[in-house]
Amino acid sequence: MKAFVTGVAGQLGHDVMNELAKRGFEAVGSDIAPEYSGVPDGSAVNTMPYVQLDITDAAAVEKTISEINPDAVIHCAAWTAVDLAEDDENIQKVHSINADGTKNIAEICKKLDCKMMYISTDYVFDGQGEEPWKPDCRDYKPINVYGRSKLDGELAVAGALSRYFIVRIAWVFGTNGKNFIKTMLNIGKKYDTIRVVNDQIGTPTYTYDLARLLVDMIESDKYGYYHATNEGGYISWYDFACEIFRQAGYNTKVTPVTTAEYGAKAVRPFNSRLDKSKLSENGFAPLPSWQDALKRYLKEIDKEG
């Protein structure tokens, strides 16, 4: 299998490329930068072909992917800064990247008749209630700019292709980039007490574990919508912070607060519970528990300094 991966300078794209390399697959990575940027030295990603690509440029997308002629495209590139997406000057740019860019990729995948995997989010739903969202649920009600742009990306893929995977994830963390865990560790070194919201419920996703699953999926023909996060039960961000400090050996006190008390520019979903049962139903191995993923992650970032 020959794969083309977008967003390889990010947390997930980086780990997907490493997983493909580990399995001996031919893969080409891409991102907006002229060369690999922000990728740790020694990573397998650095040894694999790379092309600069602005996914909002339809002509460039068609030319680049046509020349590579992959069997599958794993589309990880996205605007993910949720609060910044709400700024008036960014709204159109967010849509151009997450919706129009995704449509550009879907159209060339259709022309080449290759598989496409699109990484999406629970933010396509309104985050109400307490029932886990089913992957085939069509009750879309995004509540912020980011969510609307990712939904438009989903619709572009499903509207153009039949051989596609749409995989929704949540609360992502990986070694190659910023995330909640790194933020907590940095803040925990500076302050004795911090505030973290306790009324948003979901499950973390370790990109190292997710990359393994995504490559398993793209090798198959079990197309459709999926949800993928680590196992281990649903938690709040407050619960997650407490476990981060416990495992890291910090004495930082965490004070639970409501979303309203904390305040944020973008509206966040209260219910980010994702039903992942479709994975095992289709023969895919579930991800390890988030507690185990956190333990391995802390060891990995400690090793990397």
Side-chain angles (χ1 to χ4, degrees), residues 26-101:
E26 184 180 0
V28 178
S30 73
D31 215 298
I32 192 70
E35 57 187 16
Y36 277 125
S37 176
V39 177
D41 292 337
S43 168
V45 175
N46 289 299
T47 68
M48 302 180 79
Y50 173 90
V51 294
Q52 180 182 16
L53 180 63
D54 177 356
I55 63 172
T56 68
D57 184 336
V61 168
E62 180 172 7
K63 180 177 185 295
T64 299
I65 299 181
S66 294
E67 289 176 352
I68 293 168
N69 194 26
D71 301 302
V73 173
I74 303 176
H75 180 31
C76 301
W79 176 294
T80 57
V82 177
D83 286 323
L84 287 176
E86 300 291 318
D87 293 344
D88 290 341
E89 64 269 24
N90 291 332
I91 292 175
Q92 183 54 50
K93 185 176 182 181
V94 174
H95 190 273
S96 294
I97 295 170
N98 291 350
D100 297 340

Side-chain angles (χ1 to χ4, degrees), residues 189-203:
K189 291 176 183 176
K190 299 177 183 177
Y191 302 100
D192 295 330
T193 303
I194 64 169
R195 302 187 312 151
V196 180
V197 297
N198 70 339
D199 55 0
Q200 297 174 28
I201 309 300
T203 316

Side-chain angles (χ1 to χ4, degrees), residues 113-128:
D113 190 29
C114 69
K115 302 176 182 181
M116 179 176 176
M117 175 175 283
Y118 174 59
I119 308 304
S120 192
T121 171
D122 65 284
Y123 279 46
V124 301
F125 304 117
D126 64 9
Q128 298 302 303

